[in-house]
Amino acid sequence: MSILHTVNKSPFEKTALAACLNHITPDATILLFEDGVYGALQGSQIAAHMQQTLTTNKIYVLGADLKARGFDTDRLIPGMAVVEYDGFVELVAQHDKVQAWL
Amino acid sequence: MKFAIQINEGPYQHQSADSAYFFTKAALAQGHEIFRVFFYHDGVNNATRLTTPPQDDRHIVNRWAELAEQYNLDLVVCVAAAQRRGMVDEGEAKRNGKDATNIHPRFRISGLGQLVEAAIQADRLIVFGD
């Protein structure tokens, strides 16, 4: 049973991403969008935890929301994958369930 | 594949009102079916036909209505959330003795059972909110 976890909160404002990371199983995928994209950036307090998560789970970032916040993809932690809305839809279809960490 | 969409936040207030629209549009473009879009909590404000944004801004309500027209979408507004926020259609206006209505004709007011049914009938439920 694969689950797509969506996180739309900044990890520096809310604990949604931390809660998500504490609950995911190895076959789960994370999608960061809206303010959630801040969790995908290099050099932050949470970057080491994200890097470690990337060794077991795939993490995607919504490109439009990253760009809207003034970041290029070269600011991402290596290993993060960028998708647009069509990729978001494909991820939803590929997983059995979607869990939104609101 | 059949998708159900739930929106919990209002227009021009939280990005999730925009994200839900872009996701729905992308899903339809890929040939997926949108079983229902359910507007809950402050999300019911996405259904007011009285919205008048500046000309150079997106019209979030009409945008939903146009997509619904094109793909025959079922846009459902939660009745309890709508009543609390003064979102009224003709039936509710009559029933509650109100002198005006503000629900866009492409949306309809119904109960939480519609969300439960959508969650059961659709292959995936995607929730947008804060």
Side-chain angles (χ1 to χ4, degrees):
Chain A
M1 170 79 64
S2 66
I3 299 181
L4 174 68
H5 298 264
T6 63
V7 178
N8 69 338
K9 304 286 182 296
S10 165
F12 314 113
E13 192 181 18
K14 298 276 175 64
T15 55
L17 181 57
C20 170
L21 294 176
N22 286 334
H23 285 87
I24 52 168
T25 51
D27 59 345
T29 302
I30 300 172
L31 171 71
L32 302 171
F33 75 123
E34 297 178 8
D35 279 351
V37 301
Y38 289 113
L41 300 173
Q42 291 176 30
S44 80
Q45 278 184 329
I46 200 174
H49 196 176
M50 295 305 280
Q51 226 150 7
Q52 197 197 337
T53 305
L54 277 167
T55 63
T56 52
N57 298 80
K58 290 216 79 168
I59 306 178
Y60 292 86
V61 183
L62 193 69
D65 287 346
L66 189 68
K67 201 175 169 192
R69 286 158 181 78
F71 296 109
D72 286 325
T73 51
D74 60 7
R75 295 287 301 273
L76 294 174
I77 295 165
M80 295 276 173
V82 177
V83 287
E84 298 304 331
Y85 275 99
D86 53 352
F88 186 171
V89 172
E90 283 164 17
L91 285 171
V92 169
Q94 284 161 12
H95 292 78
D96 299 315
K97 285 183 178 177
V98 185
Q99 174 63 49
W101 291 85
L102 301 180
Chain B
M1 191 170 273
K2 260 190 251 182
F3 291 162
I5 310 289
Q6 180 185 333
I7 303 172
N8 296 342
E9 286 296 322
Y12 312 105
Q13 171 68 23
H14 193 280
Q15 199 192 342
S16 57
D18 290 287
S19 301
Y21 171 79
F22 290 125
F23 179 88
T24 302
K25 202 177 162 193
L28 289 165
Q30 285 184 32
H32 294 292
E33 180 190 334
I34 301 295
F35 180 79
R36 181 168 294 144
V37 184
F38 191 84
F39 296 87
Y40 200 18
H41 304 292
D42 271 0
V44 300
N45 291 304
N46 286 284
T48 171
R49 63 181 172 84
L50 303 180
T51 294
T52 313
Q55 280 191 349
D56 59 351
D57 197 357
R58 68 219 187 278
H59 196 305
I60 294 180
V61 180
N62 286 359
R63 201 168 62 173
W64 275 117
E66 283 156 18
L67 202 64
E69 195 64 39
Q70 193 183 344
Y71 291 96
N72 196 26
L73 299 182
D74 189 19
L75 307 179
V76 175
V77 177
C78 171
V79 61
Q83 283 183 334
R84 287 189 179 96
R85 292 165 179 81
M87 298 292 300
V88 183
D89 66 1
E90 270 183 31
E92 289 299 315
K94 210 169 276 179
R95 213 158 60 85
N96 295 299
K98 304 294 179 187
D99 61 1
T101 66
N102 57 351
I103 297 277
H104 190 288
R106 212 61 192 71
F107 294 73
R108 66 185 180 95
I109 292 183
S110 193
L112 211 47
Q114 299 278 304
L115 174 62
V116 176
E117 188 202 24
I120 293 168
Q121 294 295 326
D123 299 303
R124 305 282 185 277
L125 171 67
I126 305 103
V127 184
F128 295 89
D130 193 19

